[in-house]
Amino acid sequence: MTKLQKKKLTDKLVILVWIIGLIVIWEIGASIVETTKRSPQNVLPHLSQIVESVFSSKPVSNKQTAWQIVTSNATITLLRAGTGFLIGTLIGFILALAMNFFKLVEKAVFPYLMMIQMIPILGMAPIVLAITQDIDKSRIVISAILTFYPVATNMLDGLKSVEKEKYDLMHSLAASNWHIYTKLLLPTSIPYIFSGLKIAAPMAITASILVDTLQGGAGLGTMLSQSLKHAMSIYVFWQIVFFSAFIGILSYKLMSFAEKMFSPHEKAKGSR
Amino acid sequence: MKNSKSTIIAPVTLGLIGVFMWQSQMLHRILGADTFTMPLPARIFGIITENIAKILFNMQATVMVAIGGLILGSVLGYLLAILASNFPKWGVGGLSVISSFNAIPIIAIAPILNNLTKDFSSDPNTRSMLAKILVVMITCTVSMSVNAYRGFIELKPFSEDLMRSLAANRMTVFFKLKVPNSVPYIFTALRVSVPASIISAMVSEYFAEYIIGVGRQIRENIVLAQYATAWAYITAAITIGIIMYVILIIIEGICMKGRR
Amino acid sequence: MRKISKKFVALFVFIAAVFSVYANGNKEVAPAKSYYASNATVESIVKDAATKGQVGNWGLGNEYEIQALLTKYNLPTTYLSQAFDMDGFDDDSILLASAMTYNELGLVKNDYDGGYGYGNKVSFIDMNSEGVAMLEDNLFTKADFAQANPNTVKAFIYASMKGWEYACANPEEAAEIVFNNGSSVSPQHQAYMASEVKKLVETDTAGNPVSIYGKMDETAMAQTLALAKKYIKLEDSVAAKALESMTLDDIRNTVFWDEAMASAGKFDVEKSDVSIQLKWLPQAQFMGYYVAKDKGYYSEVGLNVTIVPGGGDIGEPTAVYTGQVDFGVTWVSNLIAAKAAGMDLLQIAQVYQKSGLVLVYKTEE
């Protein structure tokens, strides 16, 4: 076993121990709640009960089991999150380029980009709905609005991080703007873009779940709120809590993986 | 100097153009929106001036939750980073496990914490305040712990070795080298946490038992189709955000003086 | 190193102190009395719960009847925000909790999935007998839509009311239809809900039977508007003024319903693909529409209807007003508020003839 392999193994063990620690804390809490509350499953159920509900074949609604509800609605939400994420990334990309190219645009627009992030989704939604006339389109648009900001800011940082000497060198070699962008600016900003994407991907998912709750229909958020309203088993809620955390982490890992694919030369350095 | 002037003039000009287009309904025509879901600025401003006392009262409640959670979460995050940097073998794993909390939507965390804090006090205002602060705390802990940890380990090459060779003990290394090094990273974290703290404070208000706060008012008015009033509160929320952000930038400017 | 360990000790002491306060708080909270005698008067119960600050309601436009009741007994109109479950009632943080007879009350009493199983250990205060009833589930559309598509509106009313009539005559079958078409809720709860909704559709606020479905009763509508004017608090002075001067003619039009019910069921519809936005989750609360669709009543009049479930924060008035859907079901008070804000909406039928809102409390046994 090489040293590197060994380190990776201990890293995994450490994470395992941490997870076990969290499970122990949760279970202690659940045991206390179990003795003090009349309906403990609504406050903090045992993890075993949640796992049991995943494998239960009992239909909780419309002939679907709790787990079937979660997975079928997750597909819908993730599809919307994915579409919103792609659109948001594209907008972020264009904004970053525009802001880097025209300094005045950056100065004028940047404060407002931050302000848009401060508008609660609830306030934004009716306007978007009035414009699109369709709740599902609105859900995608709002996911996009919430994801472009980290992509735009991080990419802008990346474009700015290019050392002036390199830039001047390209200019002195009479390189065209197009060349400067494709050969120098974009490659340099790739790690920055990915750190933006790593923030944006889990955000697109939580945003998509939040936007689901704005109106009825299908989607993880809708099921989460219906379950909270006791329209169906409360375990649907608990399953969604864990499922969304899992998917969020997965989306982060996916972006890290994509980062490695896109920047092979970084591999040697051992990216963090 | 000329540079900093345009930093202010450019956004203000754009803002004025935006407000003009909004008020003259040009914006509505471009977007295809109506003056109902997107009320005119004059009307929103009118509602703000007529109800300034009530709006300030609700702003105060939201600010308390946001700042309380921001401070608690940031302090906790910093302490976690200290622990992690002192026990790197265990710490890194712990931080990555804790980061997973950020992947759970606030709308799921808020009801859980509401139920868990029920026994804290018999006064609903107190206990829902605690629940809301805890929600904000969770959102702020992660970014601080991850960033501060980087501040502790991303030191100038050989600086730690140099100090050690000068026989500095762990405490000295920590306070003279690591803590100062982490300051810029603290501000990186806060620049994410400050807007996040306000958004999560408002979302936690949607679910809280005690009816108070800018977020709750926005929700009540949206559900009742009182969009102009809702936008008055949204303006209040944005104002809180801008003020807190500007304060942060000023503090950052003071703390980072001479560093760059 | 010593300094650091001292700090850690201090931290631990602090945490321990917080926990001990928390534990002590636990003991104090144990409520002295969270139950009421079965012969207690309504006044004594409301007074007790209100002075303790433990009357619950969901807010968001559902609170006016409760506030009217509190005013009736000279009590302040503040209330606790109740989540859309009955956990707060269950754990005694709310002594007098809002419940709809067909939904939350059933969850509190029954012990099927999602229920709390209190059986007969609970009792409730009825808004109708307290004289503070406001009308709830109605049928409405946008005024200019009604003007442009009068036959579509009449056809929709005709087929929907036929659906309600069948559903009330066969509540068990209606519950099954809803369960199969909806996306949620246990069949037992749907059956319970259907039987309770039938009572609201077929009884007026005074307790007299109603035999015509969807009728807009003048007295009950007037009482609803009067209470709405008193308890809907609008910060927007323009909307507040509009509310103050509002009359029944501003919010409802009886012509469509009259002509639809007098017709032979043949309509030359202007728009055949229409949609309706429900006020809440897909459940037997809206069984009439599900039955009309399932039994083909809508297709008989030439309509192809899409039923859109609600329950989110974008209200039914907004969905109808923005043109996302054509018809909507909402509470009359919510329609009044939206109308005051400037939305040109029109009520075209009133399905629920009395209030389904009650305040539930635990009784000694």
Side-chain angles (χ1 to χ4, degrees), chain B residues 61-76:
Chain B
T62 306
V63 169
M64 270 171 72
V65 170
I67 291 184
L70 181 70
I71 291 173
L72 273 181
S74 301
V75 170
L76 182 67

Side-chain angles (χ1 to χ4, degrees), chain A residues 39 42 61 133 214-215 229 231, chain C residues 87 90 183 185 277 311 313 322:
Chain A
S39 314
N42 298 344
S61 140
Q133 304 246 325
L214 292 175
Q215 212 170 31
K229 288 163 187 164
Chain C
D87 289 357
D90 191 38
S183 70
V185 192
Q277 162 89 53
D313 281 335
T322 55

Side-chain angles (χ1 to χ4, degrees), chain A residues 85-102:
Chain A
F85 176 68
L86 285 180
I87 299 172
T89 306
L90 198 70
I91 297 173
F93 217 78
I94 295 168
L95 273 173
L97 285 178
M99 286 194 292
N100 192 53
F101 208 69
F102 308 103

Side-chain angles (χ1 to χ4, degrees), chain B residues 90-107:
Chain B
W90 292 95
V92 184
L95 285 185
S96 57
V97 171
I98 286 170
S99 320
S100 67
F101 282 121
N102 257 18
I104 308 173
I106 306 173
I107 48 162

Side-chain angles (χ1 to χ4, degrees), chain A residues 81 83-89 92 117 140-152 196-197 199-205 207:
Chain A
T83 321
F85 176 68
L86 285 180
I87 299 172
T89 306
Q117 306 301 307
I140 291 171
V141 170
I142 294 169
S143 293
I145 291 175
L146 288 174
T147 46
F148 80 79
Y149 182 69
V151 177
L197 290 178
I199 301 171
M203 238 167 109
I205 293 169

Side-chain angles (χ1 to χ4, degrees), chain C residues 115-130:
Chain C
Y116 296 82
Y118 277 92
N120 292 324
K121 290 179 198 153
V122 291
S123 191
F124 59 83
I125 300 166
D126 188 336
M127 297 304 128
N128 299 293
S129 48
E130 288 297 312

